Amino acid sequence: MIRKVCVIGWPVAHSRSPLIHNHWIAEHRIPDARYELLAVKPEDAAETIRHLHRLDFVGANVTVPHKETAFATLTRHDAVAKRLKAVNTIVTLEDGTLEGRNTDGYGFIANLKDGAPDWRPGEGPAVMLGAGGAARAIAAALETEGVPEIRIVNRTPARAEALIRDLGLKSATVWPTAETRAALDGAGLLVNTTTLGMKGESDVDIDISALPRDAIVTDIVYTPLETGLLKRARLAGHETVDGLGMLLHQAVPGFEAWFGVRPHVTDELREIVLADLGMA
């Protein structure tokens, strides 16, 4: 019997998850395993998730716009998914039930530690640009890591306030975009959690001169690999971390749960994905 896993989304053709997981399947010589794309319309998402086994899938990844639907549909969740009320990984437990997990925050932290090994969470506040879905996972992960203060800069303060309230963040503050420069003062980390800077989007338009020189700058955008924000930060002397590693690292826990082998994010895998993106 083939152990099939899929990524569920709408649209989903752009996903690199099959490339990543099928690379690991081949690397670890896992027999009778395959990772597929599954395009699912929003109105069909709950039914599809409930009946993954009928479709012969032993697990799945979930991408936009179905992460919240997956959480609402499943009755079992790990602690992170419960907190975020969003699921990006579905695992079959020993008793045959499906559990929703969320590895987005794990992927962010693993990528940050991989790209900036000297980063110390307790050394200073983290400034986050944006308060969307990615920001929720990242904020929760930063607090768990021990960042003393999370400064959320968002065009709509009410949305940032809702994020803090929903997650129960104890050390987070809201900063309007007009006060970005003040928010950067004394920070140890700057994170762009928005799509600004992505190919086809406008760039992150902030003055980073107030950011301490030893602060690290990272971006969840990976097309282009070096966004305008990362380029300006690099030229100003900051250590920078691109967003591709978050995509790769968030896939690790799911693969281990489905196939019993913990894969590694390697330079070879990065190059394979970059080539597929046309950026090699």
Side-chain angles (χ1 to χ4, degrees):
M1 178 180 174
I2 296 177
R3 283 182 289 174
K4 293 198 306 179
V5 182
C6 63
V7 56
I8 301 169
W10 186 263
V12 77
H14 65 283
S15 174
R16 264 66 190 187
S17 290
L19 182 66
I20 296 166
H21 288 284
N22 285 321
H23 169 79
W24 284 334
I25 287 170
E27 181 180 54
H28 293 283
R29 299 179 182 178
I30 299 173
D32 301 323
R34 187 168 71 235
Y35 190 105
E36 304 176 354
L37 293 170
L38 188 63
V40 178
K41 294 179 180 179
E43 58 267 29
D44 299 327
E47 186 74 6
T48 300
I49 290 165
R50 272 194 294 267
H51 299 299
L52 278 175
H53 290 319
R54 290 188 191 175
L55 299 171
D56 297 325
F57 292 109
V58 299
N61 283 128
V62 184
T63 188
V64 292
H66 301 325
K67 292 184 180 184
E68 290 77 18
T69 299
F71 176 82
T73 301
L74 298 171
T75 58
R76 298 183 67 166
H77 312 88
D78 73 353
V80 179
K82 283 181 181 177
R83 187 179 189 188
L84 299 176
K85 294 182 173 54
V87 163
N88 79 330
T89 303
I90 301 174
V91 173
T92 302
L93 301 179
E94 289 185 4
D95 63 4
T97 60
L98 298 174
E99 180 179 79
R101 303 178 182 179
N102 196 300
T103 65
D104 287 330
Y106 166 85
F108 172 79
I109 295 296
N111 181 46
L112 183 58
K113 290 180 175 178
D114 190 27
D118 294 330
W119 176 64
R120 298 292 178 267
E123 289 185 352
V127 177
M128 283 187 5
L129 306 179
R136 295 171 67 87
I138 291 169
L142 287 172
E143 184 181 66
T144 299
E145 284 295 307
V147 172
E149 181 187 357
I150 301 168
R151 301 171 181 172
I152 305 174
V153 177
N154 199 59
R155 183 176 55 186
T156 309
R159 191 172 188 187
E161 291 164 0
L163 183 155
I164 293 171
R165 183 174 61 253
D166 291 348
L167 297 181
L169 296 174
K170 297 178 175 61
S171 57
T173 53
V174 177
W175 298 68
T177 52
E179 297 179 14
T180 302
R181 182 177 172 83
L184 296 175
D185 185 33
L189 177 69
L190 171 61
V191 188
N192 175 37
T193 75
T194 76
T195 59
L196 291 174
M198 186 182 293
K199 188 175 181 180
E201 294 266 354
S202 58
D203 199 6
V204 175
D205 184 21
I206 63 168
D207 177 5
I208 62 171
S209 61
L211 193 64
R213 186 61 57 86
D214 59 352
I216 295 163
V217 181
T218 186
D219 201 321
I220 69 167
V221 171
Y222 56 86
T223 52
L225 197 60
E226 184 178 62
T227 62
L229 174 64
L230 292 184
K231 182 177 181 179
R232 294 200 309 276
R234 175 176 58 81
L235 294 175
H238 295 283
E239 187 173 10
T240 63
V241 180
D242 66 62
L244 180 59
M246 181 177 174
L247 171 69
L248 305 180
H249 282 284
Q250 63 81 29
V252 169
F255 188 92
E256 182 178 25
W258 300 319
F259 301 115
V261 178
R262 189 168 184 84
H264 296 287
V265 174
T266 61
D267 290 340
E268 179 187 11
L269 179 59
R270 279 181 61 93
E271 291 305 315
I272 289 171
V273 175
L274 286 172
D276 191 65
L277 291 167
M279 298 192 298

